Amino acid sequence: MKERLQKLISRSGLMSRRKAEEKIRLGLVTVDGRVATLGESADPAQNEIRVAGQLLSFTSNSLTLMLNKPTGYICSMHDPEGRRLAIDLLPTDLGRLYPVGRLDYNTEGLLLLTNDGALAQHLTHPSHHVAKTYLVKVRGWLDESGRKKLQEGVLLDDGRTAPAGVNAIRRSGKNCWFELTLREGRNRQVRRMCDAVGLSVVRLKRISLGNLNLGELKSGLFRILNESELSNLKKHAGL
Ligand code: URA
């Protein structure tokens, strides 16, 4: 099936759509050996598409893994402030992998990384509502009224949050732990939801995403998803 070149390139996981447009404008993209122009479409099953000489590949070496991101790492491909990058925790011979969504600098836990652009797009697209569960530690106590508000939705500056799951509430000295399951992925959503009910987050860890659980994976380590995890994940993502 024919698709716009910039869309195909970003779906291959090689780079973002905007970067792909830049490459097309610079004359670095070829279709069957001919320099392509912006606006052109191609079919990867019929055409040989290259970006700066590199052949686009969609399935042959697709790789998805989960990393237990420690705090103190960011989820970008580079950082002008020079902070440590989550991708630097991976060996370079795995090739270029992109974080699926983001965890804040101070958030730890399950971060997916993939070179499968379509999977990344589907997992982060709001319409697919992939569930994400966070283990949250807050100062103070999540009382019944706070729990109800988190569950039913709180008003943030970008609108009311969708219904969420709140489970396993337990006290620990002056703090409290609970599990919060969201089906949206707004910026700093857990921290902002907790602020909205008067609680400040002192620790935040993502423990599951769709069908995947962090399990016993140690902080800073990663593991490649197996075939069955990957096919279930694709189902969750609507692929
Ligand atoms: N919610 C947050 O507040 N931070 C994250 O990193 C993820 C979800």
Side-chain angles (χ1 to χ4, degrees):
M1 200 182 74
K2 277 196 165 188
E3 254 182 287
R4 294 259 175 183
L5 279 173
Q6 60 269 38
K7 204 167 164 193
L8 280 175
I9 297 168
S10 88
R11 195 155 67 70
S12 77
L14 203 57
M15 64 190 68
S16 69
R17 203 182 288 199
R18 231 181 30 165
K19 285 235 166 73
E21 284 174 2
E22 234 174 83
K23 301 283 180 207
I24 299 170
R25 276 201 201 92
L26 290 170
L28 292 172
V29 177
T30 58
V31 177
D32 298 332
R34 178 186 48 76
V35 174
T37 54
L38 195 61
E40 198 172 321
S41 297
D43 178 353
Q46 309 276 339
N47 304 117
E48 186 190 272
I49 305 159
R50 288 180 185 268
V51 180
Q54 188 177 340
L55 185 65
L56 279 205
S57 144
F58 288 87
T59 49
S60 52
N61 43 17
S62 124
L63 178 68
T64 302
L65 57 83
M66 71 160 83
L67 169 72
N68 185 348
K69 181 185 108 53
T71 59
Y73 286 81
I74 66 161
C75 294
S76 304
M77 298 305 283
H78 59 88
D79 182 40
E81 292 173 39
R83 288 170 298 179
R84 291 180 294 184
L85 308 178
I87 48 169
D88 290 342
L89 292 164
L90 307 175
T92 49
D93 60 4
L94 292 179
R96 208 171 165 80
L97 295 173
Y98 297 85
V100 178
R102 302 218 160 175
L103 290 179
D104 300 336
Y105 183 75
N106 284 325
T107 303
E108 55 195 303
L110 199 166
L111 177 68
L112 275 187
L113 293 116
T114 187
N115 57 9
D116 182 335
L119 179 62
Q121 270 176 23
H122 275 70
L123 281 170
T124 48
H125 198 279
S127 68
H128 293 115
H129 308 293
V130 177
K132 284 157 271 197
T133 299
Y134 296 87
L135 186 57
V136 192
K137 182 184 185 184
V138 291
R139 200 156 288 133
W141 176 243
L142 176 65
D143 60 14
E144 185 50 25
S145 141
R147 185 188 65 79
K148 213 161 168 247
K149 283 184 194 156
L150 292 180
Q151 265 178 346
E152 290 174 0
V154 291
L155 191 59
L156 302 179
D157 51 13
D158 52 358
R160 187 168 290 283
T161 59
V166 183
N167 292 295
I169 308 174
R170 59 196 185 276
R171 204 185 283 272
S172 156
K174 290 185 177 145
N175 301 312
C176 137
W177 292 88
F178 60 94
E179 289 178 14
L180 182 64
T181 302
L182 305 181
R183 288 178 179 274
E184 345 170 67
R186 304 193 212 167
N187 193 26
R188 303 187 75 253
Q189 184 166 350
V190 175
R191 293 175 202 276
R192 290 191 296 137
M193 286 174 74
C194 291
D195 284 346
V197 296
L199 295 169
S200 117
V201 171
V202 291
R203 192 164 170 195
L204 183 56
K205 182 175 187 178
R206 182 152 70 196
I207 53 172
S208 78
L209 188 154
N211 56 304
L212 301 171
N213 293 311
L214 192 59
E216 297 301 309
L217 186 64
K218 296 235 177 344
S219 178
L221 298 187
F222 72 93
R223 71 172 181 82
I224 294 173
L225 302 193
N226 62 37
E227 277 305 313
S228 108
E229 287 174 321
L230 201 53
S231 69
N232 270 323
L233 186 65
K234 287 183 177 170
K235 273 187 215 142
H236 273 78
L239 276 168

